[in-house]
Amino acid sequence: MYDVREYMYFCILGSHPPLSTAELFSVLPDIKKPILSDKMITFDSTSWDAFNLMNTLGGTVKLGEIIYNAHSAELTPALLADLIAPSKASAEGRRSLDFGLTVYGSKSTQKKFFKLPIQLKKELKAKGYSVRWVTGKGGEPLSPAAVAKCGLTDNPNADLCLMVNENTVLIGKTTEVQDADAWSIRDFDRPRRDSKNGMLPPKLARMMVNLAQTPDGGVLLDPFCGSGTILMEAAIGTNIAQIIGSDIDKKQIQDTEANNNWLVKEKFITAKDAKRFRIFTSDIKEIQKFISPKSIDSIVTEGYLGPPLHGTESQKTLSANASQIHDLWVDSLVELKPLLKTNSKLVIITPEYSNTNGHSAVMLDADLNNLGYKKENPDLSVLNIESTLSYFRDNQFVKRNILILKPI
Ligand SMILES: C[S@@+](CC[C@H](N)C(=O)[O-])C[C@H]1O[C@@H](n2cnc3c(N)ncnc32)[C@H](O)[C@@H]1O
């Protein structure tokens, strides 16, 4: 008998592990005993539903079950071979078995177990299997697309994810992977994309929608909707009753409408689902004319990030941009407050600029109390995660800080 704790699962997180963790904790609020190492998080949960979870989360690329929990000294190729292929392949027909193996943990741990996949391959061959070790490109962890392509979630194939800490090893077997094609199609193939305004990646939009946890039958608003990435992600697989988008720019509203129609055409949502959209042109300062008081359950929005940056702006320009966006947010939070229901949540982005000349960030913390809001970013200190959740790509001059607010 193997020592496996009941209900023990794992997720392999995407490019921004703190943000992905916050999303996971919002979607699965009963998580217990979480451990985070590198991009792998393990935990107990009684409401695990692998398929639904994989289709819901934007920030998790693989997930599965922990099949073995042991002392790290026990980690041998023979143990892994026994776990994925408990019996010998029959003498008459060699069975083929493809596997992937990724070790998560410190760099030194990864180095220590560098040879494990080759040793496992040998061990499985000795058991009579015809074995293929599927590797990630250039030593990278095996991608969800490769796991799907090689059928590694189908027995006896296996994609093993190992969390090796100082004394323990948790061995996970992937059961679901992110549908990389569907995400990429929504990112790159939608008809209207606006690189000038900065495109919100759909995975980040989905994470924000999940952080808001709009109740079933509730109303979600994006008052700076641009070409509608957040609205699209809010419409897929949710029971939100109304999805409202507005923007000051009529062209953006036309783009949102075109993207929403495309979403139906590509069968991401049904025509009936699309009836939930309500899209209109409005300056945020006029929005009360269009929306009834106390009718909104959640506001999920990227907000205005300021003029596009080229990386050559002076410190003075960066500070002036931050000050302009700060003031727009103060005005916006005043306008939005009467529209909110008591238990509503806001998930917004405040930009932080940096280049070789300087740095400037939009900070709202000091204004929140006066404006009638409080910050509600999840407390992930048990995992050594700061409450500031950020999204940043190396080649960009704008970092997006995600702020979760509640009215008081
Ligand atoms: C960064 S873009 C949002 C992009 C959007 N998340 C998307 O995925 O396409 C910010 C948007 O805010 C809009 N905007 C700027 N000032 C505004 C205001 N005062 N009221 C309403 N919308 C405004 C801009 O037209 C722009 O489309």
Side-chain angles (χ1 to χ4, degrees), residues 251-289:
K251 157 87 170 56
Q252 296 290 331
I253 290 301
Q254 288 164 351
D255 287 353
T256 290
E257 281 165 347
N259 283 337
N260 289 348
N261 291 337
W262 172 85
L263 208 59
V264 176
K265 196 173 136 252
E266 294 297 315
K267 298 194 167 46
F268 283 108
I269 58 169
T270 64
K272 190 170 165 235
D273 278 334
K275 293 214 163 75
R276 298 176 297 163
F277 290 125
R278 184 183 157 212
I279 316 293
F280 54 87
T281 309
S282 170
D283 185 330
I284 185 120
K285 288 168 195 146
E286 305 282 317
I287 201 157
Q288 289 180 20
K289 290 186 187 157

Side-chain angles (χ1 to χ4, degrees), residues 354-370:
S354 40
N355 63 26
T356 46
N357 299 326
H359 169 266
S360 189
V362 174
M363 301 294 292
L364 290 173
D365 291 45
D367 304 278
L368 291 177
N369 199 36
N370 282 344

Side-chain angles (χ1 to χ4, degrees), residues 214-218 234 237-242 276:
T214 312
D216 284 356
T238 68
N239 292 319
I240 300 173
Q242 194 170 37
R276 298 176 297 163

